[in-house]
Amino acid sequence: MEVIEITVGHQGAALTGTTNEIIQLAIDRVSSLGGGIVTLLPGKYAMHDSIHLRSNVVLRGSGTDTVLWKPPSVSSPVKGLNGYGLYAVAVDHPDKFDIGSGIFITDDLSNAFYDTVATVCWKDGNDLGLSKPLNHDISARAKGTATTVYPIVCGYDVENVRLEHFVIEGNASENKYIHGCRGGGVFFMRSKHIQMANLTVKDYNGDGISFQQCINTHIENCSCLNNAGIGLHPGSGSVGFVIRNSTFRGNKEDGIYYCLRVSYSSCENCIIENNGRDGLSIGHRDTDLIIRGNLVKGNGRYGVYLRNDAGGRSGDRVLIAHNEFQDNCADSGNAELFFDAAAEDVRLIGNAFTAVERQRDSLFSGVYVNHPGCIGYIDGNRTSGYSLLSADSATSLINFSTALPEQALDVEHKPVPAGAMRHLNG
């Protein structure tokens, strides 16, 4: 089967240019023909807006010599009240914004998914026309702002997309922060069958990679390095994602943050180190997870944290096996793994807990259980220099056993059940 391929580069390519506009032109052309490959030749490309992905498209770089770079951001206060659903926002300084630039709009009353990322489509006086409607009322009274920050690469409602062999350089020192519900070096929303391979996302003022409400996302041989937010942020009900042979290092917040109701995933053979908060953080209704064969070291707090959850449903049916946890709690904390939730069926098998560069006192442990409702199984783990298991009280250890269930977790050997995706399919 013949597949169309269009090259983009500074010179010697089918399409010649150095900005997101020429890359977008190639993607839209390939998409109009039913899909294909866009190959970026070596060079540094300035991203004045996101690359907006289309279904059935491969975006392929030329390795570390292909760099997508974020120019410095500009910002302006908004004017007056800008109502929910409008395709425009009024700002004090419209001259700072160009038609075609990406824009992030927020205020003190807006947050997370209520914020808006769009493209400036037109200008009229103080009004900036938007490609997407405002998700919330935005006002000057609530200190509203418009800023040219956005994902470098994004996909909304796309499927069968592959990203490979390029670098995203976020230029964090010259850009304002954008959170992972609307931004990231790479960002996907409501998308299916996404593959990322041999990507590096570094120095982005936000999360490295974020995907929300997605099905079947595969991340292999990727790196999220020194980003100002989370390294990897799977969230908002995402199902069936695989993370393999990837590195999450030096991010200011968590290495990997399982956000809300993510399930049926695996994280295997990764390096998760020197992040500012937890190596891996698991929260509300995040279930059916495999965390296996990883090196988790030197993170600011816990290697794995099961977050406290008022509903009591953080971390059900989680396998944590054959990992090496080393020198976590670099800034605070009393254990490599901290379980602060009433999780059901957490299995700890064959993990190594070691102190290489840090002295541990008698109060430190490999696993600390801080909730009496946590039900766990522990087998074949080993520690060096401190106790394996401790708790806030003897009551919290009542539901921990060294006798493993005979049956493996479903996530280990069964496909994702159809019912696990109903909340995303309407």
Side-chain angles (χ1 to χ4, degrees):
M1 177 180 173
E2 185 176 357
V3 176
I4 187 172
E5 179 176 359
I6 296 177
T7 56
V8 175
H10 292 205
Q11 58 185 5
L15 295 176
T16 302
T18 62
T19 67
N20 59 287
E21 288 92 346
I22 197 69
I23 300 172
Q24 193 65 55
L25 180 64
I27 287 174
D28 291 345
R29 173 60 174 162
V30 164
S31 175
S32 73
L33 297 172
I37 301 168
V38 173
T39 298
L40 306 179
L41 300 185
K44 183 176 181 179
Y45 300 83
M47 299 291 105
H48 301 290
D49 187 16
S50 304
I51 294 173
H52 300 279
L53 297 165
R54 313 300 185 207
S55 294
N56 305 311
V57 170
V58 175
L59 180 61
R60 176 182 296 158
S62 302
T64 57
D65 291 333
T66 300
V67 178
L68 308 184
W69 175 76
K70 175 67 176 70
S73 63
V74 297
S75 186
S76 172
V78 304
K79 289 179 67 70
L81 173 63
N82 301 270
Y84 163 79
L86 298 183
Y87 283 81
V89 62
V91 297
D92 285 348
H93 305 292
D95 54 300
K96 289 186 174 183
F97 300 88
D98 295 322
I99 294 174
S101 67
I103 192 169
F104 172 63
I105 303 159
T106 186
D107 70 11
D108 287 351
L109 300 179
S110 174
N111 187 29
F113 292 108
Y114 292 108
D115 292 331
T116 303
V117 173
T119 302
V120 177
C121 297
W122 50 263
K123 298 170 66 174
D124 184 6
N126 291 94
D127 285 343
L128 304 177
L130 305 175
S131 62
K132 295 180 180 179
L134 294 174
N135 294 311
H136 194 275
D137 291 347
I138 301 293
S139 70
R141 176 177 291 183
K143 300 179 181 178
T145 57
T147 306
T148 56
V149 290
Y150 35 82
I152 305 303
V153 178
C154 77
Y156 280 76
D157 302 295
V158 297
E159 56 185 85
N160 303 320
V161 169
R162 183 174 175 88
L163 308 176
E164 60 186 19
H165 300 296
F166 58 85
V167 175
I168 290 174
E169 168 57 67
N171 188 22
S173 65
E174 295 188 282
N175 280 274
K176 296 289 188 180
Y177 180 84
I178 179 172
H179 56 74
C181 291
R182 286 295 178 196
V186 177
F187 181 81
F188 283 95
M189 173 74 79
R190 297 185 303 271
S191 296
K192 301 178 182 179
H193 312 304
I194 305 302
Q195 298 181 32
M196 292 173 255
N198 299 292
L199 297 184
T200 297
V201 183
K202 62 181 182 179
D203 196 33
Y204 183 82
N205 204 345
D207 297 349
I209 298 173
S210 174
F211 55 92
Q212 311 294 312
Q213 301 172 20
C214 290
I215 297 173
N216 294 338
T217 302
H218 284 237
I219 297 171
E220 184 128 17
N221 295 313
C222 292
S223 296
C224 293
L225 310 174
N226 303 315
N227 298 292
I230 298 161
L232 177 67
H233 179 179
S236 196
S238 292
V239 176
F241 54 94
V242 175
I243 312 157
R244 290 196 185 117
N245 304 310
S246 295
T247 299
F248 307 95
R249 177 188 297 124
N251 301 289
K252 189 174 181 180
E253 298 180 24
D254 302 307
I256 303 176
Y257 185 84
Y258 298 80
C259 190
L260 171 65
R261 197 176 177 174
V262 301
S263 63
Y264 292 94
S265 80
S266 65
C267 175
E268 299 182 277
N269 303 318
C270 293
I271 298 172
I272 305 163
E273 65 176 347
N274 299 335
N275 298 289
R277 198 165 54 191
D278 302 315
L280 302 97
S281 179
I282 299 168
H284 183 62
R285 298 183 73 180
D286 298 333
T287 68
D288 303 281
L289 314 175
I290 295 173
I291 299 169
R292 182 165 55 199
N294 305 288
L295 173 62
V296 185
K297 63 177 287 190
N299 295 289
R301 200 171 57 169
Y302 310 116
V304 175
Y305 179 43
L306 296 188
R307 301 193 296 273
N308 183 269
D309 175 25
R313 291 278 63 82
S314 292
D316 288 355
R317 300 178 300 280
V318 173
L319 175 67
I320 302 174
H322 308 297
N323 304 283
E324 182 172 353
F325 295 100
Q326 182 184 116
D327 291 335
N328 291 292
C329 300
D331 300 321
S332 64
N334 61 345
E336 293 284 335
L337 279 58
F338 193 93
F339 297 165
D340 205 15
E344 293 185 1
D345 203 350
V346 180
R347 303 187 185 189
L348 303 170
I349 302 173
N351 299 288
F353 300 90
T354 58
V356 176
E357 299 179 359
R358 294 186 174 276
Q359 294 293 322
R360 299 303 193 189
D361 60 29
S362 61
L363 299 178
F364 195 86
S365 61
V367 182
Y368 191 91
V369 183
N370 199 48
H371 199 296
C374 191
I375 302 173
Y377 304 92
I378 189 162
D379 180 68
N381 301 279
R382 62 188 188 278
T383 63
S384 174
Y386 49 84
S387 63
L388 175 61
L389 185 64
S390 61
D392 61 327
S393 68
T395 305
S396 292
L397 294 179
I398 288 176
N399 294 315
F400 263 72
S401 172
T402 57
L404 291 175
E406 293 184 5
Q407 185 172 347
L409 293 170
D410 286 353
V411 69
E412 297 181 67
H413 62 97
K414 293 183 178 180
V416 179
M421 296 175 276
R422 285 180 297 187
H423 60 288
L424 298 177
N425 292 329

